[in-house]
Amino acid sequence: MKKFALLALTALALTGCATNNQSATESSSSSSASSSQVVESNITVSVTQDGKAIENSPFELSFKEGDKLLDVMKAQMDIKEENGLVTSINGVEQQPDEQKYWLFDVNGQMSDKGAQDVELKDGDKIDWKLEAYQGE
């Protein structure tokens, strides 16, 4: 009878240890999953006017997964826009009379979307240029 009681206590102790380890593992997994959801990523935004960097350029901006370029820039820079088109960056205005408009590249390629539609990825390099538009 003593052997049975000892065996039962041993089994109970081992079950308790396994439950504690499982809880610790689940807790660790859930905390790392939730922390990965709030991790902020970064992009670099360079801004030039007539080939020269404007003051404080380039800018390092942070964002969360799913954020759009225009929203991130408006939150962290002085941006003016009309109907989704950027008209001023940190006080540097477009010059329609000279046909100079803000155009931008994403990772070296001219964007085929407006800034309000560009979903950011960590490490993206955005190059804004105030230059004369060369229509085709």
Side-chain angles (χ1 to χ4, degrees):
M1 186 66 136
K2 287 183 182 180
K3 286 184 181 180
F4 179 72
L6 183 60
L7 185 60
L9 283 174
T10 304
L12 189 60
L14 289 175
T15 302
C17 289
T19 302
N20 286 342
N21 285 342
Q22 183 179 6
S23 295
T25 302
E26 288 172 0
S27 175
S28 172
S29 295
S30 67
S31 69
S32 67
S34 64
S35 67
S36 69
Q37 293 172 352
V38 295
V39 170
E40 290 194 344
S41 301
N42 294 304
I43 60 169
T44 302
V45 176
S46 299
V47 183
T48 58
Q49 176 181 11
D50 298 322
K52 297 177 189 154
I54 69 165
E55 187 175 347
N56 298 320
S57 180
F59 303 89
E60 293 292 324
L61 307 182
S62 60
F63 69 96
K64 293 179 287 223
E65 184 177 336
D67 283 352
K68 306 289 186 178
L69 176 59
L70 183 59
D71 296 331
V72 170
M73 289 180 64
K74 285 172 76 173
Q76 298 175 56
M77 299 173 71
D78 179 18
I79 301 297
K80 292 181 184 166
E81 54 96 12
E82 291 178 21
N83 301 320
L85 298 175
V86 173
T87 59
S88 176
I89 300 176
N90 286 9
V92 181
E93 304 270 338
Q94 292 188 143
Q95 300 164 353
D97 54 325
E98 295 178 35
Q99 295 203 349
K100 289 186 178 181
Y101 300 95
W102 283 113
L103 304 172
F104 70 99
D105 296 342
V106 178
N107 299 321
Q109 298 292 317
M110 180 177 268
S111 180
D112 59 354
K113 300 177 188 175
Q116 74 275 13
D117 295 321
V118 173
E119 189 169 318
L120 298 171
K121 293 184 251 10
D122 189 35
D124 277 348
K125 295 190 183 329
I126 311 297
D127 295 306
W128 283 92
K129 303 170 202 161
L130 182 64
E131 55 186 36
Y133 176 71
Q134 304 293 324
E136 298 176 304

